[in-house]
Amino acid sequence: MGSASSMLTQYDIEEVQQHSNHLYEFLSVPEFAMNPLSQRLLKMVDGLNFKDFVAFLSAFGAKATVPQKIEVIFKVYDSDCNGKVTFNDLIEVLRDLTGSFMSDKQREEVLSQLMREAGYTRESSLLLDDFIKVHLC
């Protein structure tokens, strides 16, 4: 790695960009299609250049630190990309994860209790630092 022979040529970059336009084909992979968060993950990588896509994938690698992994999880929850995770953001993810197994009322009760136990309220907005603190406890 790092030698001239491992550098991408302009042709390679254009070819990778061409393939990246077909990200939604990942949904044909059963393991990915069955993941309740697959649409959120696709939204996160849609439009990334190759460098950013590789950086995104590196968070799933064995050498990624816990804070790096938590940052990706934070971005999954922060669907409007405003840098904050609200009660409603959490409810949306919980809805994706639980489907029809829980009612909206059950989701709200569980999440409200969890937020209280972590020292937050329904009106709280979690920043990345808060999210790391909650996940490392």
Side-chain angles (χ1 to χ4, degrees), residues 1-9 12 50:
M1 294 202 137
S3 68
S5 63
S6 67
M7 300 287 284
L8 290 175
T9 65
D12 294 331
F50 182 69

Side-chain angles (χ1 to χ4, degrees), residues 61-99:
K63 293 183 180 180
T65 65
V66 172
Q68 287 172 316
K69 292 176 186 232
I70 292 172
E71 184 174 355
V72 169
I73 295 168
F74 178 84
K75 289 177 181 178
V76 168
Y77 282 76
D78 181 20
S79 61
D80 59 3
C81 302
N82 67 354
K84 298 182 251 180
V85 173
T86 64
F87 186 84
N88 289 336
D89 291 331
L90 294 168
I91 285 289
E92 285 179 30
V93 172
L94 193 54
R95 187 176 295 120
D96 289 347
L97 292 172
T98 61

Side-chain angles (χ1 to χ4, degrees), residues 26-80:
F26 278 124
L27 291 176
S28 64
V29 177
E31 292 80 6
F32 190 77
M34 291 174 43
N35 184 327
L37 300 177
S38 60
Q39 291 296 327
R40 289 175 177 272
L41 292 169
L42 284 175
K43 182 181 171 190
M44 290 173 64
V45 298
D46 191 28
L48 292 181
N49 63 32
F50 182 69
K51 178 182 172 189
D52 292 338
F53 182 68
V54 170
F56 171 81
L57 289 179
S58 71
F60 296 96
K63 293 183 180 180
T65 65
V66 172
Q68 287 172 316
K69 292 176 186 232
I70 292 172
E71 184 174 355
V72 169
I73 295 168
F74 178 84
K75 289 177 181 178
V76 168
Y77 282 76
D78 181 20
S79 61
D80 59 3

Side-chain angles (χ1 to χ4, degrees), residues 104-132:
D104 285 339
K105 183 178 178 180
Q106 289 172 314
R107 285 184 198 99
E108 288 188 23
E109 289 172 1
V110 167
L111 189 53
S112 293
Q113 179 64 31
L114 180 66
M115 294 287 284
R116 271 193 305 278
E117 289 177 10
Y120 298 95
T121 68
R122 288 178 63 134
E123 291 74 33
S124 298
S125 293
L126 299 172
L127 302 176
L128 179 59
D129 289 342
D130 299 315
F131 212 73
I132 290 172

